[in-house]
Amino acid sequence: MTTYTIDQLAQMIDHTNLKPYASAEDMKQLCDEAKDYHFKMVAINQVQSKRCQEYLAGSDIGIGAAISFPLGQTTIDAKVFETKNAIECGATEIDYVINITEVKGKNWAYLKEEMQQIVDICREKGVISKVIFENAYLEEEEKIELCKIAKEVEPDFIKTSTGFAPSGATFEDVKLMKEHVGDKVKVKAAGGIRDAETFKKMIACGAERIGSSSGMAIINALKEEAVDGKIMI
């Protein structure tokens, strides 16, 4: 088991509002909450990147833009453009959705090229890259094959889900992904993580980042159970 401070756990949370109808006021609230709780970053739709950059100016909170979200059904060129544009608008992290059609067609060369191009852009710009698998639609062997590609390309993270599919992160998927990427790539769990117990179990299974819109409730619950401000997981 590992001992964490509350701030270390807060720094594992991507504070999320990906609602298509989120207003400017909603984004301001999201950013203020992220600063209050010292979350790692705000996870937003790409179009909100510039607005959140303004709201978070002077803080150390990251801006995470979702690319080709939530379906992943755009061309590599479109994803590359969207990634570059997000970075120009202030994004410091990129979470892009893979092309699931190409997974089902076992077009692994395409998926490696897609991943490589986006990761290269992020690496060049000093931006964190995350690859969303959307595991709800994938068979185990497909998840494993994507992990093999990620192990070669080395994005910063691979991620379980968008939160918009029929199901989100599972403990089994986090374990599987971590097993097959090892220490080269980190795992982000997202989708349906709403309470402190689930949060802790995801970390115990190998997740090093958690995407959630319930981050405040999670941290508040962890503060209540902490001993001398620390939690063992």
Side-chain angles (χ1 to χ4, degrees), residues 5 17 19 22 32 34 37 40 47 62 73 96 102 107 125 147 160 174 182 189 201:
T5 65
N17 188 338
K19 295 181 175 68
D32 287 344
Y37 281 77
K40 185 65 176 178
V47 72
Q73 295 300 291
Y96 90 89
E102 298 304 330
N107 193 350
K125 299 295 184 180
C147 286
T160 61
V174 171
K201 286 179 184 176

Side-chain angles (χ1 to χ4, degrees), residues 39 73 112 157 216:
F39 293 131
Q73 295 300 291
K112 183 177 180 181
F157 289 84
M216 293 187 298

